[in-house]
């Protein structure tokens, strides 16, 4: 039945009739930039789409839906296994913002992080990162010898674990493009003021295999909106205020080793 539905969804549209694209909606609103970017790219490629938002059964379930064809597209940090499961569109979606990791911590604990001058200090001080079990950050933290807790099936539970003072979670690393939304949604937590942990990977769009024929169209559209300035304008609209608000220019940057990074995308 799902196969028949997928075939029906991808019949070439009548001229002027948009293609229906099923895509995730996030409760905190972090999807908005990616939805605008997707629509702008397809429009620039001469292939208008209509987005059909699907409300949050959770990221793990969304990824399964992408694999089975119940979801058409999703934005995910690039990973080699994901490249095998889905159809990657090789275009960096956040201009590196997702790989600039800012920490959410408990209020009143800034002094613990003031003692950090290197990645080794996380292990020395016994500070554990809280992560979803499917996060690519898990492998990166392990490569760098940094303690982490990553057995939580639904990553949004991490915020409550951190707030409760559970010793298994001392901080949660979030991308620069995510940190303000998460801080606003969890006012009981605080943004760490001093550090920026950085890796090279970025988010890309992944298509379900049954929609793979749309990959070159989407890539062409993304390249066009980068050339005409629309991509930069959307980045500035959604994230332009963050570098000043988070104070990236005054933070200590700690570069993370990431030996499993796939070939860098354009």
């Amino acid at each position: 039945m799902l196969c028949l539905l997928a075939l029906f969804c991808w019949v070439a549209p009548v001229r002027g009739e948009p293609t229906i694209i099923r895509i995730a909606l996030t409760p905190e609103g972090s999807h908005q930039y990616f939805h605008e970017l997707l629509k702008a790219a397809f429009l620039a490629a001469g292939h208008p789409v209509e987005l059909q938002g699907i409300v949050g059964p959770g990221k793990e379930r969304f990824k399964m839906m992408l694999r089975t064809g119940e979801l058409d597209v999703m934005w995910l940090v690039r990973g080699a296994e994901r490249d095998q499961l889905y159809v990657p569109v090789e275009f960096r979606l956040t201009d590196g913002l997702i790989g600039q990791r800012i920490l959410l911590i408990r209020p009143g604990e800034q002094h613990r992080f003031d003692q950090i001058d290197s990645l080794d200090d996380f292990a020395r001080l016994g500070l554990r990162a809280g992560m979803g079990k499917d996060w690519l950050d898990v492998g990166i933290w392990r490569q760098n010898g940094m303690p982490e807790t990553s057995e939580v099936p639904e990553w949004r539970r991490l915020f409550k674990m951190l707030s409760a003072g559970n010793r298994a979670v001392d901080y949660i690393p979030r991308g620069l493009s995510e940190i303000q939304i998460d801080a606003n949604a969890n006012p009981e937590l605080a943004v760490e003021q001093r550090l920026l942990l950085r890796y090279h990977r970025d988010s890309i769009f992944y298509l379900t295999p049954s929609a793979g024929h749309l990959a070159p169209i989407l890539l062409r559209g993304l390249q066009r909106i980068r050339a005409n300035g629309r991509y930069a304008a959307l980045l500035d609209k959604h994230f332009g205020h963050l570098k000043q608000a988070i104070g990236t220019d005054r933070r200590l940057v700690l570069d993370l080793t990431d030996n499993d990074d796939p070939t860098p995308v354009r």
Side-chain angles (χ1 to χ4, degrees), residues 5-40:
L5 180 58
L7 287 171
F8 174 77
C9 287
W10 293 112
V11 170
V14 177
R15 182 176 297 275
E17 184 177 306
T19 300
I20 303 296
I21 299 285
R22 294 161 298 176
I23 188 169
L25 289 176
T26 59
E28 65 278 357
S30 58
H31 63 272
Q32 294 176 4
Y33 164 71
F34 298 100
H35 284 207
E36 285 193 54
L37 188 65
L38 191 71
K39 290 178 73 172

Side-chain angles (χ1 to χ4, degrees), residues 34 59 63 66 74-83 86 88-89 91-94 96-101 134-138 140 173-178 199-206 258 260-262 265:
F34 298 100
K59 189 174 182 181
K63 290 196 297 183
L66 187 67
M74 192 170 177
W75 60 97
L76 295 167
V77 176
R78 183 112 193 241
E81 183 179 0
R82 293 169 180 179
D83 284 359
Y86 319 116
V89 180
F91 185 95
R92 297 171 68 84
L93 296 181
T94 75
L97 296 180
I98 194 69
Q100 298 181 45
R101 311 303 276 186
D134 63 321
W135 288 12
L136 293 178
D137 285 30
V138 175
I140 297 173
R174 302 299 288 149
L176 183 57
S177 55
E178 305 166 318
Y199 55 74
H200 179 73
R201 298 194 203 203
D202 205 336
S203 295
I204 65 171
F205 282 128
Y206 282 102
D258 182 10
D260 299 323
D261 189 4
V265 296

Side-chain angles (χ1 to χ4, degrees), residues 40-42 44-47 89-91 213-228 266:
F42 272 117
H47 195 104
V89 180
E90 297 198 359
F91 185 95
H213 62 283
L214 290 175
I217 299 171
L218 179 52
L219 178 59
R220 183 167 67 248
L222 288 166
Q223 291 169 338
R224 286 179 178 174
I225 63 171
R226 180 169 58 193
N228 67 23
R266 295 182 293 275

Side-chain angles (χ1 to χ4, degrees), residues 2-264:
L2 280 174
C3 293
L4 290 174
L5 180 58
L7 287 171
F8 174 77
C9 287
W10 293 112
V11 170
V14 177
R15 182 176 297 275
E17 184 177 306
T19 300
I20 303 296
I21 299 285
R22 294 161 298 176
I23 188 169
L25 289 176
T26 59
E28 65 278 357
S30 58
H31 63 272
Q32 294 176 4
Y33 164 71
F34 298 100
H35 284 207
E36 285 193 54
L37 188 65
L38 191 71
K39 290 178 73 172
F42 272 117
L43 187 62
H47 195 104
V49 297
E50 179 180 326
L51 301 188
Q52 185 179 94
I54 297 178
V55 179
K59 189 174 182 181
E60 195 64 30
R61 174 61 181 150
F62 274 142
K63 290 196 297 183
M64 180 61 69
M65 293 172 71
L66 187 67
R67 189 172 182 179
T68 61
E70 298 168 84
L71 201 68
D72 298 313
V73 64
M74 192 170 177
W75 60 97
L76 295 167
V77 176
R78 183 112 193 241
E81 183 179 0
R82 293 169 180 179
D83 284 359
Q84 297 299 315
L85 292 173
Y86 319 116
V87 179
V89 180
E90 297 198 359
F91 185 95
R92 297 171 68 84
L93 296 181
T94 75
D95 197 29
L97 296 180
I98 194 69
Q100 298 181 45
R101 311 303 276 186
I102 307 295
L103 313 183
L104 276 178
I105 64 174
R106 287 183 285 273
E109 294 201 350
Q110 179 63 45
H111 66 281
R112 303 179 73 193
F113 296 86
D114 288 343
Q115 302 175 58
I116 293 177
D117 293 309
S118 71
L119 297 177
D120 291 340
D121 288 337
F122 282 91
R124 179 178 62 83
L125 296 168
L127 295 172
R128 304 186 72 87
M131 301 178 180
K133 65 178 183 179
D134 63 321
W135 288 12
L136 293 178
D137 285 30
V138 175
I140 297 173
W141 256 242
R142 289 176 181 173
Q143 284 182 57
N144 288 273
M146 300 163 67
E148 43 75 27
T149 298
S150 57
E151 300 304 317
V152 182
E154 174 44 57
W155 66 270
R156 289 183 177 86
R157 286 178 51 199
L158 292 167
F159 300 120
K160 293 187 182 299
M161 292 174 64
L162 176 59
S163 178
N166 187 320
R167 289 296 299 171
V169 178
D170 297 298
Y171 67 95
I172 303 171
R174 302 299 288 149
L176 183 57
S177 55
E178 305 166 318
I179 186 69
Q180 199 65 62
I181 289 174
D182 287 341
N184 292 342
N186 299 276
E188 73 281 7
L189 300 176
V191 177
E192 196 281 327
Q193 295 296 304
R194 185 169 164 269
L195 304 171
L196 189 156
L197 281 60
R198 183 172 63 189
Y199 55 74
H200 179 73
R201 298 194 203 203
D202 205 336
S203 295
I204 65 171
F205 282 128
Y206 282 102
L207 294 166
T208 188
S210 61
H213 62 283
L214 290 175
I217 299 171
L218 179 52
L219 178 59
R220 183 167 67 248
L222 288 166
Q223 291 169 338
R224 286 179 178 174
I225 63 171
R226 180 169 58 193
N228 67 23
R230 179 64 173 153
Y231 171 63
L234 284 173
L235 276 171
D236 186 65
K237 172 184 174 181
H238 289 270
F239 309 124
H241 63 291
L242 288 176
K243 290 184 178 181
Q244 182 174 356
I246 300 298
T248 55
D249 59 342
R250 60 172 170 73
R251 289 176 176 265
L252 174 64
V253 177
L254 301 176
D255 284 309
L256 293 149
T257 297
D258 182 10
N259 294 325
D260 299 323
D261 189 4
T263 303

